[in-house]
Amino acid sequence: MRASSLISRAVALVGAMVMLPGWAGATLTGTLTATIAAGQPIQLSLLVTNSGLTDVTNVAAQAWTAGAAAISAPTASSTSYLTLYAGQDVTFAWTATPSAAGAITFTASATGDGPDSTTPDTAGGTVAAANAVGQLTWSRTYANVGQGTQVMLTVSSTGGATLTNVIPQISVLGPAAVSVPVPLTSAAVVAGQQKTFVWTITATGAGTIAYTANASADGPVVTVLNNGSLSASASPLAAKAFLATPGALWAGQTTVLSMTVSNVGGAAVGNPSARVWGNLKATGLPGAGFSASAKAVTSLGVNATVVFTWTITPSVAGLLTITGTPSGDGGSYGSAVSLTVTVYAATAMRARLGCEKPGVAGAPVQFLMSLTNTGAMTIVNLTAALWSDSVAAVGASTPATVATLVPGAQTSFVWTVTASDARAMNFYAVANGFTTSATGAGVAAASNVAATTLAGIPAPGAKAAFVYPSPARDAANVAYTMAEAGKVTIRVYSEIGDLVATVEEVKTAGVWSSPLTTSGLAPGVYYLLVEKKYDSGTSEKAGMKKFVVVH
């Protein structure tokens, strides 16, 4: 007897055997479950045994059913069934396939040349009508021409039996290309489980694409057929997005994040929308807080733009990476855009820079920067730097580092500056420290840049001018004083008296510095003459000054 692979629990039914001197009894066995599915093949077998004292010839068997079933011809397991010797047995087998639901009974018997035949033996079971249900789903209801859209068919085995050789099919009406489903076939769908098949439908032209999907398997499969449709746009659409927000925030600081979405395609986009998400804790993320004007937009025309805004308040320090995507009806979509924002811990520094007294060229002057921790977290390893766009010697700061600056505390950095020549100069300073983020990592905390002007250094008089730096390389500056508004002309002469450079500018009254390009001058000594013509009609010349060019 051969058991069917579709049956999970065997029931062996044994009938009465009639014992005659020259003939055998018969036993019918059927490997039936309590419930089988319509279309599910099963096997029946009849065991015939010669328990008499004489041989039996021309042994044959037959089977019939009370119920809707197709029974195949019997197959004997041995060719000796033509003659069954005393004490020998032979097995006949049939394949039966119920074609309808309900109770079903199989009966079989055997005959042969001898005094009598076997008594018929019976087996039976229950047949279920349906064994599978399919559900069709799809991921989008619109697409661009040339855009692939996935369609899925889920087949579930609901009839208590395993489905074999499940093959999905899809029918598409409209201009579209359909890919082969993955997987193309399924070896089996176990009872109570399901299998999903996926197609990709690519619109090859504009219009509506209708599709229907089903599945077949060994035996009748009752499938719920769902229809879907795809609206294909003739012109590819795309929404271009741009994210904007300040490049640095303090933890707990509220700011507005905006996304500008533009329709760069060839048709209008219906119901434009946008969403954002981030990797740090923040109020308003992801996706919340659309502005009222953006929510009211129901269509975005070609080349039109709409702005979405969110209010965000990062709650911890770190690098906040914000990602946003635009979308809309009509096949519009856009690539994700990202923005990285530095979020400092909930602390801040305020800086003030000044000098102790007016200075003169060649005399040292002290610069002082006062720092206050106005935040809620301690700053550690606080350092500061001072620099100038002018020629000056800057000494090391004192102290070089402040180990800790608690909230509300103040500290100062001091530098000694020696100006190398007599002119007005600008100085700048900045401080940096570290605070601890929510994850324990150090986060840089930088102060506002503080700036001041070194006052009191004698400015060029009405008839004085000088060049700095000297020696000059590629560029220099000419310092002079304008008594009133007017035009200044700067002429540069070589040692032999050739005019090699001229600068003309219009200035108001005050001390000025004009740039002078020296990269084209040969190394050597040069002379400078500054001539001023005031709007009042008067004029004056500054004394000739000598300077040096090196390369």
Side-chain angles (χ1 to χ4, degrees):
M1 177 179 65
R2 181 167 55 89
S4 171
S5 61
L6 296 177
I7 307 302
S8 62
R9 184 167 60 92
V11 178
L13 302 178
V14 180
M17 293 189 298
V18 180
M19 304 300 294
L20 297 176
W23 184 226
T27 300
L28 176 68
T29 59
T31 54
L32 305 181
T33 61
T35 302
I36 61 175
Q40 174 186 334
I42 61 172
Q43 284 191 337
L44 303 173
S45 61
L46 181 69
L47 176 65
V48 180
T49 304
N50 184 355
S51 57
L53 301 177
T54 61
D55 298 339
V56 178
T57 58
N58 297 320
V59 179
Q62 61 177 342
W64 61 96
T65 180
I71 300 179
S72 66
T75 301
S77 62
S78 171
T79 58
S80 63
Y81 71 93
L82 296 176
T83 299
L84 192 60
Y85 301 103
Q88 188 181 12
D89 56 44
V90 68
T91 300
F92 296 87
W94 295 266
T95 297
T97 304
S99 58
I104 193 166
T105 301
F106 298 95
T107 304
S109 64
T111 60
D113 293 340
D116 203 348
S117 64
T118 63
T119 301
D121 206 358
T122 302
T126 303
V127 179
N131 60 1
V133 174
Q135 182 178 4
L136 182 68
T137 58
W138 54 92
S139 59
R140 299 179 75 93
T141 57
Y142 52 81
N144 299 320
V145 173
Q147 175 187 349
T149 299
Q150 286 189 331
V151 174
M152 295 161 282
L153 176 67
T154 300
V155 178
S156 303
S157 178
T158 61
T162 296
L163 301 177
T164 60
N165 195 29
V166 179
I167 301 176
Q169 299 179 30
I170 188 169
S171 175
V172 176
L173 178 63
V178 182
S179 67
V180 175
V182 179
L184 174 61
T185 60
S186 174
V189 178
V190 178
Q193 297 185 9
Q194 62 186 24
K195 183 76 70 173
T196 299
F197 301 88
V198 181
W199 293 268
T200 298
I201 298 178
T202 303
T204 58
T208 300
I209 300 169
Y211 49 89
T212 301
N214 62 8
S216 63
D218 287 347
V221 178
V222 178
T223 304
V224 177
L225 298 180
N226 293 96
N227 296 327
S229 64
L230 191 66
S231 178
S233 172
S235 300
L237 303 180
K240 185 177 181 181
F242 176 75
L243 271 171
T245 198
L249 295 172
W250 295 105
Q253 176 184 349
T254 298
T255 189
V256 175
L257 171 70
S258 65
M259 177 186 285
T260 301
V261 179
S262 301
N263 180 2
V264 297
V269 176
N271 297 314
S273 63
R275 64 183 293 260
V276 292
W277 58 96
N279 64 326
L280 285 181
K281 297 177 181 178
T283 302
L285 294 177
F290 288 103
S291 67
S293 60
K295 290 180 64 176
V297 175
T298 58
S299 180
L300 189 62
V302 178
N303 297 325
T305 296
V306 65
V307 178
F308 299 92
T309 60
W310 299 262
T311 299
I312 63 172
T313 308
S315 58
V316 297
L319 287 178
L320 170 59
T321 301
I322 302 172
T323 304
T325 55
S327 61
D329 297 339
S332 69
Y333 60 93
S335 302
V337 291
S338 296
L339 180 71
T340 300
V341 180
T342 300
V343 182
Y344 296 116
T347 191
M349 291 183 289
R350 294 293 180 263
R352 183 174 60 86
L353 180 65
C355 58
E356 61 173 5
K357 63 181 179 179
V360 296
V365 176
Q366 282 194 332
F367 271 74
L368 173 72
M369 182 170 70
S370 297
L371 288 168
T372 303
N373 183 353
T374 62
M377 298 184 67
T378 299
I379 303 170
V380 298
N381 297 328
L382 181 62
T383 61
L386 178 77
W387 71 95
S388 174
D389 56 7
S390 307
V391 177
V394 179
S397 63
T398 304
T401 303
V402 174
T404 59
L405 189 65
V406 299
Q410 184 181 34
T411 190
S412 298
F413 289 88
V414 180
W415 296 268
T416 298
V417 176
T418 302
S420 61
D421 48 36
R423 58 187 174 85
M425 290 182 286
N426 292 324
F427 287 85
Y428 309 89
V430 66
N432 291 279
F434 292 90
T435 59
T436 302
S437 70
T439 61
V443 178
S447 76
N448 296 333
V449 175
T452 191
T453 299
L454 181 57
I457 294 179
K463 295 185 178 181
F466 56 83
V467 180
Y468 66 95
S470 178
R473 293 185 180 274
D474 295 333
N477 292 279
V478 179
Y480 54 90
T481 299
M482 296 287 287
E484 56 181 284
K487 179 181 178 182
V488 60
T489 302
I490 302 170
R491 295 182 177 88
V492 179
Y493 297 90
S494 67
E495 280 192 296
I496 62 175
D498 293 335
L499 179 64
V500 295
T502 302
V503 176
E504 292 184 346
E505 291 188 313
V506 175
K507 298 292 186 181
T508 58
V511 179
W512 293 98
S513 177
S514 296
L516 177 64
T517 301
T518 58
S519 59
L521 300 180
V525 177
Y526 292 86
Y527 294 90
L528 179 81
L529 179 63
V530 178
E531 182 180 3
K532 291 166 277 188
K533 293 183 179 181
Y534 298 118
D535 295 344
S536 63
T538 62
S539 64
E540 63 183 15
K541 292 182 180 180
M544 188 77 71
K545 285 290 182 179
K546 182 172 70 173
F547 68 100
V548 177
V549 174
V550 297
H551 294 300

